[in-house]
């Protein structure tokens, strides 16, 4: 812990820090993770529902799931883990980049800005017919599935399995990982590519890697520091 703190301190003075977050950072805000036991909804796994095929097959079912998730996220508040990252950025904004796989918006609610969002945003809806996008925080949504003014089906502006990541966000993330000298992966199972590949990109480019997670992950072998524990406890201590 002490040497991780020292590395972060040095990066914040003269280098670049990247924080890379996954669903685990929001677990203490009671947002279910994807691969935890709480990730199942009516026995469907997210891999089963978060695809274009599932959506075309049964948009109502997929929307019921997202509507349920939106309800949980709407009630959630940022926890000390989100707040610690916002505070790090506030101290040295030019030396800190936050890259998230989360679509819940809790980093922004905690005060983070310029967040690189690799997997989209559950509060933005996009028309599958005319492409129009808009922010929508209505909870619950009715009727389901929601429709655009043009009559087309609306979908959440989220990256589904098999879809490309938004190019501009990926480029920002890869650039930040290549230039990081400290890269902290927090609350991610590091299983979903290409996002999980950022840990390797950072390591290969010479960054020192820290992992914050109560459980082992495949990225642990790349890490110099493994900080076991919930993000809401470990990150405030690092700060
Ligand atoms: P996962 O659900 O795969 O992994 C969550 C990780 O958080 C696990 O490694 C847990 O051990 C860890 N964890 C649980 N509680 C924690 C806590 N309190 N503090 C820190 N860590 C904790 O979530 P992701 O890695 O984010 O993609 O999943 C990656 C992507 O797969 C998601 O963005 C989503 C999903 O399908 C899309 O929606 C495109």
């Amino acid at each position: 812990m002490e040497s991780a703190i020292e590395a972060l301190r040095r990066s914040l003075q003269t280098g670049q820090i990247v924080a890379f977050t996954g669903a685990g950072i929001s677990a203490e805000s009671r947002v279910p993770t994807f691969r935890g036991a709480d990730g199942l909804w009516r026995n469907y796994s997210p891999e089963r529902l978060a695809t274009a095929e599932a959506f075309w097959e049964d948009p109502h079912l997929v929307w019921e799931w997202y509507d349920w998730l939106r309800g949980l996220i709407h009630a959630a508040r940022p926890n000390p883990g989100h707040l610690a990252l916002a505070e790090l950025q506030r101290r040295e904004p030019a030396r800190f980049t936050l890259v998230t796989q989360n679509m819940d918006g809790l980093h922004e609610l905690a005060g983070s800005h310029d967040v690189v969002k690799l997997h989209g945003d559950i509060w933005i809806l996009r028309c599958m017919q005319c492409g129009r996008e808009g922010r929508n925080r209505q909870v619950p949504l009715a009727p389901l599935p929601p429709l655009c003014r043009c009559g087309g089906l609306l979908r959440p502006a989220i990256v589904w399995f098999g879809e490309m990541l938004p190019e501009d966000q990926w480029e920002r993330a890869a650039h930040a990982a290549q230039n990081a000298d400290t890269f902290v992966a927090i609350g991610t199972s590091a299983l979903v590519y290409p996002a999980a590949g950022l840990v390797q990109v950072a390591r290969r480019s010479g960054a020192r890697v820290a992992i914050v997670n109560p459980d082992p992950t495949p990225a642990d072998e790349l890490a110099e520091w493994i900080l076991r524990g919930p993000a809401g406890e470990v990150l405030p201590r690092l700060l």
Side-chain angles (χ1 to χ4, degrees):
M1 186 77 161
E2 286 313 310
S3 89
I5 290 172
E6 193 42 46
L8 280 177
R9 198 198 316 275
R10 229 172 306 120
S11 291
L12 215 50
Q13 283 163 355
T14 58
Q16 288 290 330
I17 298 179
V18 172
F20 171 57
T21 62
I25 194 167
S26 296
E28 289 152 271
S29 297
R30 283 186 241 119
V31 177
T33 60
F34 289 92
R35 289 169 187 78
D38 54 351
L40 289 183
W41 172 79
R42 292 193 203 157
N43 278 332
Y44 291 100
S45 72
E47 280 98 339
R48 178 73 209 293
L49 295 172
T51 67
E53 292 75 28
F55 190 78
W56 284 122
E57 193 181 307
D58 194 342
H60 187 266
L61 175 76
V62 172
W63 260 118
E64 275 189 292
W65 174 54
Y66 280 118
D67 204 35
W68 170 76
L69 266 178
R70 282 166 57 105
L72 294 180
I73 294 169
H74 198 265
R77 290 292 158 264
N79 66 56
H82 298 107
L83 295 169
L85 294 181
E87 172 59 18
L88 258 184
Q89 184 180 39
R90 199 193 57 73
R91 289 185 189 174
E92 213 56 66
R95 300 195 180 280
F96 179 87
T97 307
L98 176 55
V99 179
T100 191
Q101 299 165 87
N102 299 347
M103 55 195 180
D104 56 29
L106 290 179
H107 283 306
E108 287 93 338
L109 269 187
S112 293
H113 50 86
D114 298 322
V115 182
V116 182
K117 300 176 80 149
L118 293 176
H119 290 165
D121 186 326
I122 200 166
W123 302 113
I124 297 177
L125 306 189
R126 184 192 313 136
C127 178
M128 297 184 84
Q129 194 161 283
C130 72
R132 185 198 303 268
E133 280 195 356
R135 186 160 281 280
N136 176 317
R137 281 187 67 91
Q138 188 189 327
V139 168
L141 278 169
L144 291 179
L147 297 179
C148 177
R149 268 182 265 160
C150 78
L153 266 178
L154 290 170
R155 63 169 280 181
I158 282 170
V159 177
W160 283 333
F161 288 102
E163 292 184 330
M164 305 274 287
L165 303 193
E167 207 175 310
D168 57 330
Q169 302 298 299
W170 174 252
E171 274 169 15
R172 279 183 67 200
H175 179 79
Q178 280 156 3
N179 289 291
D181 47 296
T182 311
F183 185 98
V184 192
I186 304 150
T188 178
S189 60
L191 290 171
V192 177
Y193 281 78
L198 288 173
V199 191
Q200 279 104 320
V201 171
R203 186 70 207 89
R204 256 188 270 121
S205 309
R208 303 170 84 185
V209 173
I211 306 267
V212 177
N213 199 312
D215 298 312
T217 77
D220 290 3
E221 61 185 41
L222 298 170
E224 185 165 343
W225 305 284
I226 297 178
L227 307 171
R228 286 265 173 260
E233 291 172 22
V234 175
L235 291 177
R237 277 168 53 213
L238 269 181
L239 186 70

